[in-house]
Amino acid sequence: MEITPSILTADFTRLGETLEEAVAAGIDWIHMDVMDGNWVVNRTVTFGPALIRSVRDRLGSEVTIDCHLMTTNAEETWDQFADAGADLVIAHIEAVDDFPALIDDLHTSGVQAGCVLNPSTPAEDVLPLLPTLDLVLVMSVVPGKGGQSFMPEVEGKVRAFRTAIDEQESNGGRAVKLMIDGGIKDHNAAMVAEWGIDIAVVGSGLINDRGTIAENLAAINAALE
Ligand code: DX5
Ligand code: ZN
C-alpha cells in the first residue's frame, strides 16, 4: 500500500522544503486538499490552483499530484486545477450534479478522474461510475480538517469497492485505484491495507513535530511489513 501525504498540517511558510523532504523520503504522490470555505463543515479555506502550480513547478513531473476538491463548484473549476498541473482531480459525489460529464471533461483534457465519498455516503452512489473512474477515494473522516479520528465503520464500503474493482479488472475493465483518507496512522495502516486499499492519504501522521517525514513514513511502512 502506497502512502501519500496530505499537506494540510504542514507549515505553509516552509512548504517547499517539506515537500522536498517528502520526496527525499521516497514519496512520489502528493495529496492536495482544496477547500473553498463553503462546502466543508467548518468552512475552512485552504488553497487554490496557484499552490498546485507552485508544487508542480517545484517538484517537476515525476511526482503525482491529486487535487481533492472539497468545493461547491468542481464542475466549473476542475480545469483550473488541471491547467495548474494536477494529474488527478478527485471530486465529491455529494457535490457534483453530473459526475459522468465531469469524468468525460477530465478524460478529454488528459486528466485522471477520481470520485470521493463521505463516510455517510453509501458505495452504491459511486459503484455505477466504476467503469469510467481512475480512482475511488473513501473518506474515513468527515472532510474539513486534518488530525481527526479514524472512522472504522467505513470497512464494509472499502471491501465492497475492492470486490467490485477486482471483478471489473479481472474482466478486462478499467483499472481503478482505491484510496482512503483521514485518520490513517502507523497503528491502523496495516488494517486498511488488509481491507484492500491501494493508497492511503496520511496528513498529521506524516507531517508533525514528533518526527521527520522519513521517520514517520518508516514507522508506517514498518507496520505494513
Ligand atoms: C480532510 C482531508 C484529509 C486530511 C487527512 O478533509 O481530506 O486529506 O487532511 O489528514 P489526517 O491524516 O491528519 O487525518
Ligand atoms: Zn483529502
Side-chain angles (χ1 to χ4, degrees):
M1 181 174 79
E2 181 169 354
I3 304 295
T4 171
S6 152
I7 63 168
L8 269 197
T9 51
D11 170 357
F12 280 22
T13 66
R14 298 187 57 253
L15 192 56
E17 294 85 69
T18 302
L19 288 167
E20 292 197 355
E21 185 188 336
V23 170
I27 294 286
D28 66 1
W29 184 312
I30 307 292
H31 179 79
M32 303 292 287
D33 282 315
V34 178
M35 301 181 191
D36 65 359
N38 188 2
W39 193 74
V40 284
V41 292
N42 56 4
R43 300 286 183 265
T44 306
V45 178
T46 55
F47 43 77
L51 191 68
I52 280 78
R53 170 48 58 200
S54 295
V55 171
R56 175 60 75 202
D57 290 348
R58 176 101 182 216
L59 297 185
S61 59
E62 297 308 302
V63 171
T64 299
I65 299 173
D66 82 60
C67 289
H68 173 190
L69 299 188
M70 288 162 273
T71 62
T72 55
N73 59 355
E75 290 169 283
E76 288 79 44
T77 60
W78 64 269
D79 55 335
Q80 297 176 36
F81 297 94
D83 294 347
D87 295 296
L88 289 95
V89 168
I90 311 174
H92 270 270
I93 189 72
E94 304 90 356
V96 170
D97 294 333
D98 185 344
F99 218 101
L102 175 59
I103 294 170
D104 285 346
D105 288 343
L106 287 163
H107 286 164
T108 305
S109 302
V111 179
Q112 293 196 354
C115 182
V116 44
L117 58 168
N118 285 338
S120 58
T121 301
E124 289 67 31
D125 288 8
V126 174
L127 285 168
L129 296 168
L130 273 191
T132 56
L133 281 173
D134 301 294
L135 180 141
V136 172
L137 170 53
V138 176
M139 291 305 294
S140 40
V141 296
V142 174
K145 57 186 175 188
Q148 300 179 81
S149 298
F150 179 76
M151 298 170 69
E153 56 264 43
V154 302
E155 176 179 359
K157 192 186 316 185
V158 169
R159 291 187 183 276
F161 279 119
R162 182 71 276 149
T163 302
I165 290 168
D166 288 349
E167 185 177 342
Q168 174 170 300
E169 292 177 353
S170 63
N171 294 330
R174 193 183 193 91
V176 183
K177 293 183 180 69
L178 186 53
M179 179 185 263
I180 197 166
D181 183 6
I184 303 297
K185 304 287 190 294
D186 54 356
H187 64 77
N188 58 15
M191 177 178 68
V192 301
E194 192 275 326
W195 291 357
I197 291 292
D198 298 312
I199 308 166
V201 176
V202 182
S204 55
L206 264 187
I207 301 175
N208 58 51
D209 53 13
R210 295 187 301 281
T212 65
I213 292 174
E215 289 162 346
N216 292 329
L217 182 62
I220 294 170
N221 285 332
L224 291 172
E225 297 289 303

